[in-house]
Amino acid sequence: MAKKDAGKSAGKAKDEGDAIKIVARNRRARHDYDLIEKVEAGIVLTGTEVKSLRNGKANLEDAYAEVTRGEVWLNGCDIPEYLQANRMNHIPKRPRKLLLHRREIEKLAGRTNERGLTLIPVSIYFKKGMAKVEIFVAKGRKTFDKREALKKNEAKRDIDRAMRRG
């Protein structure tokens, strides 16, 4: 009897720990860029930044990532100050280091050296209690490309509606 109960509770705790809690999304990224390759990276944060993220406060609108001297940095990401903190609060728009393996960093550095490619953060989330950032290697879209993509998505939506009806 004891074995069955122990197995169930262990499985339940594992499922809860695997949950992903999304804190912030960059919705404009999918409209402004062609997203090519996805990479998940950890973020180096201070205590008040983590508390602010757990409250669901972050902004990725003007954020981008860059490879500098063998390290990947997240710039322009706004994590507002934690209101209950004291004078030791963090700087809201400071550059934050991203944690990746060396081979991944070298691969990203090679891709971003290509003309027109950049690193764009799409979302910040908690996975197994750790803060993560989903970044994409992306190519900027021109205005006519954006209109073309909107037309394509609208046509796809119309086809899906017609398929559901009939």
Side-chain angles (χ1 to χ4, degrees), residues 24-165:
R25 279 203 171 118
N26 185 355
R27 293 189 177 144
R28 300 259 334 141
R30 296 189 191 281
H31 178 70
D32 293 342
Y33 299 93
D34 286 323
L35 304 177
I36 299 168
E37 183 181 342
K38 174 179 135 180
V39 179
E40 180 183 71
I43 321 170
V44 177
L45 299 170
T46 63
T48 55
E49 288 173 327
V50 174
K51 286 181 174 269
S52 191
L53 281 179
R54 289 207 186 274
N55 282 344
K57 303 207 166 137
N59 185 3
L60 288 174
E61 282 303 307
D62 299 324
Y64 64 96
E66 66 179 351
V67 181
T68 309
R69 285 182 266 144
E71 296 178 335
V72 182
W73 293 86
L74 180 63
N75 297 314
C77 174
D78 183 24
I79 300 175
E81 289 184 345
Y82 183 61
L83 296 177
Q84 287 79 25
N86 59 8
R87 58 192 166 91
M88 302 298 287
N89 223 327
H90 65 274
I91 301 166
K93 281 207 170 198
R94 74 177 182 88
R96 293 168 179 90
K97 187 175 179 180
L98 297 181
L99 304 171
L100 292 161
H101 291 284
R102 185 174 10 104
R103 285 194 185 109
E104 289 177 314
I105 294 172
E106 290 168 0
K107 186 176 174 184
L108 289 176
R111 294 297 303 265
T112 56
N113 285 338
E114 293 176 28
R115 183 173 170 90
L117 294 182
T118 186
L119 297 174
I120 300 295
V122 174
S123 63
I124 295 179
Y125 53 92
F126 284 99
K127 183 177 179 182
K128 296 182 182 178
M130 304 296 233
K132 304 278 185 183
V133 151
E134 186 176 62
I135 55 177
F136 277 85
V137 175
K139 183 177 177 104
R141 284 185 183 162
K142 304 279 190 244
T143 307
F144 61 86
D145 289 336
K146 293 177 192 176
R147 285 194 294 261
E148 194 74 30
L150 284 172
K151 286 179 190 173
K152 191 169 129 185
N153 288 341
E154 201 170 303
K156 185 178 182 292
R157 202 175 309 128
D158 290 340
I159 290 169
D160 289 343
R161 278 189 200 136
M163 294 295 284
R164 268 187 261 133
R165 280 189 213 132

